[in-house]
Amino acid sequence: ATFEAFIGIKDDESTAQLKLFGDNLQFLEQNLPMDSAYKSKDVSAAPIRVIQLLYNAGDVKGPQTLAFNLPNDDSIVKDRGTSMVMLKNVSEAKFKHILLPIAAACVAEEQQEHVDFESFFTHTICHECCHGIGPHTITLPNGQKSTVRLELQELYSAVEEAKADIVGLWALRFLISQDLLSESLLKSMYVSFLAGCIRSVRFGLEEAHGKGQALQFNWLYEKGAFVWNTEGTISVDFTKRWEILIKFLFLKIEGAVESLSREILTLQAKGDKEVAGLLLKKYSVLSEPLKVALKKLETIQV
């Protein structure tokens, strides 16, 4: 085993702006789109720190992380919670040199203006926060206590990364609906998320983030929230549809995000490895829109 180390300069101004997320973790938990029986009543708010990264080393092979939320040990998380560190200068560099070129090649031209750093960075924060909510320690149908990690085994990482991503997107929409975030984020967060899906699938479907992003992209594409255009670009469907059960107009993508959030949170709460395996088998694939997008990226400098 190897250790890892990160050395950075504290960014106190940016850190102060993030207090909103830590303060509302329990509120988000109470409103998660899953059965109330699975919700925790004592979520620990993770301390959030933003740094400007100077150097890292050790167990940091693979894609350079934008943030980390540690520890991974469920027993310590239960007793002590987690600590989150955002690497802002890394986020800015990835946005400028990776996400913008990807969006220019793969996102419909009329929606490219909605790809912005604020949405990208805010969703990264929400992603890390959402590792701390939802099921962790669970009770199996036979009454036995366990953890999601223990039950899902080798599938855990891909499912958990997908959960943090999609529930993070749900959480942003929920905070906007509560007037805790600006409505101006609405379109940009979805289009930036679309570009982010393609960015992460580049890591490959053997890697947890890539596998989790393929799952999300293909679910949203199947539900019609993502549209593959004739020129080979992809766009977010912002048309509204009427929800009969709750008599409410909402964006198609909002319904698709909530349905996937519910699916993942529920299988985690039940510790259902079989359902997790079927979900990944069906959706963690290189669908035709993803193949075309990745082909385009071969010809541009990212």
Side-chain angles (χ1 to χ4, degrees), residues 55-74:
Y55 181 80
N56 62 357
D59 188 23
V60 289
K61 59 186 179 296
Q64 167 62 53
T65 189
L66 295 172
F68 53 86
N69 188 331
L70 295 169
N72 286 326
D73 188 306
D74 287 320

Side-chain angles (χ1 to χ4, degrees), residues 62-63 94 127 155-163 165 193-219 260 279-287 290-291 294:
K94 285 203 176 199
H127 169 107
L155 306 181
Y156 173 79
S157 291
V159 172
E160 176 60 23
E161 290 303 331
K163 180 210 83 173
D165 258 342
F193 177 80
L194 165 59
C197 280
I198 299 167
R199 180 183 74 87
S200 292
V201 169
R202 287 166 56 245
F203 301 154
L205 300 190
E206 297 308 308
E207 197 273 339
H209 292 80
K211 190 177 289 187
Q213 284 282 19
L215 160 61
Q216 295 165 82
F217 177 92
N218 290 320
W219 179 286
L260 181 55
L279 192 68
L280 289 168
K281 184 178 180 182
K282 180 177 180 181
Y283 292 101
S284 290
V285 295
L286 278 182
S287 56
L290 285 177
K291 286 180 184 175
L294 294 179

Side-chain angles (χ1 to χ4, degrees), residues 15 40 50 77 92 106 111 118 150 162 182-183 187 194 217 223 234 239 241 263 269 277:
T15 298
S40 173
V50 180
V77 171
E92 289 170 333
C106 302
Q111 291 192 352
E118 183 187 0
L150 198 59
S182 170
E183 186 105 15
K187 285 192 173 182
L194 165 59
F217 177 92
K223 304 297 182 190
I234 307 163
T239 58
R241 69 184 185 90
E263 182 80 12

Side-chain angles (χ1 to χ4, degrees), residues 59 67 105 110 117 131 144 150-151 156 158 164 169 181 186 201 206 208 221 226 233-234 236 267 281 298:
D59 188 23
E110 69 274 11
F117 178 70
H131 278 305
Q144 181 185 340
L150 198 59
E151 295 304 314
Y156 173 79
L169 201 55
L181 283 175
L186 195 59
V201 169
E206 297 308 308
Y221 176 57
F226 288 162
T233 59
I234 307 163
V236 178
L267 77 84
K281 184 178 180 182
E298 291 176 5

Side-chain angles (χ1 to χ4, degrees), residues 120-193:
F120 175 65
F121 189 61
T122 306
H123 180 257
T124 304
I125 298 162
C126 241
H127 169 107
E128 297 302 333
C129 285
C130 287
H131 278 305
I133 62 175
H136 290 280
T137 301
I138 58 174
T139 303
L140 300 177
N142 63 6
Q144 181 185 340
K145 292 284 186 184
S146 186
T147 66
V148 180
R149 186 188 298 273
L150 198 59
E151 295 304 314
L152 298 191
Q153 298 173 321
E154 75 278 5
L155 306 181
Y156 173 79
S157 291
V159 172
E160 176 60 23
E161 290 303 331
K163 180 210 83 173
D165 258 342
I166 203 71
V167 174
L169 201 55
W170 168 86
L172 288 179
R173 181 66 188 98
F174 178 77
L175 292 172
I176 290 170
S177 73
Q178 301 298 308
D179 295 324
L180 292 169
L181 283 175
S182 170
E183 186 105 15
S184 64
L185 275 174
L186 195 59
K187 285 192 173 182
S188 60
M189 72 188 197
Y190 290 124
V191 181
S192 298
F193 177 80

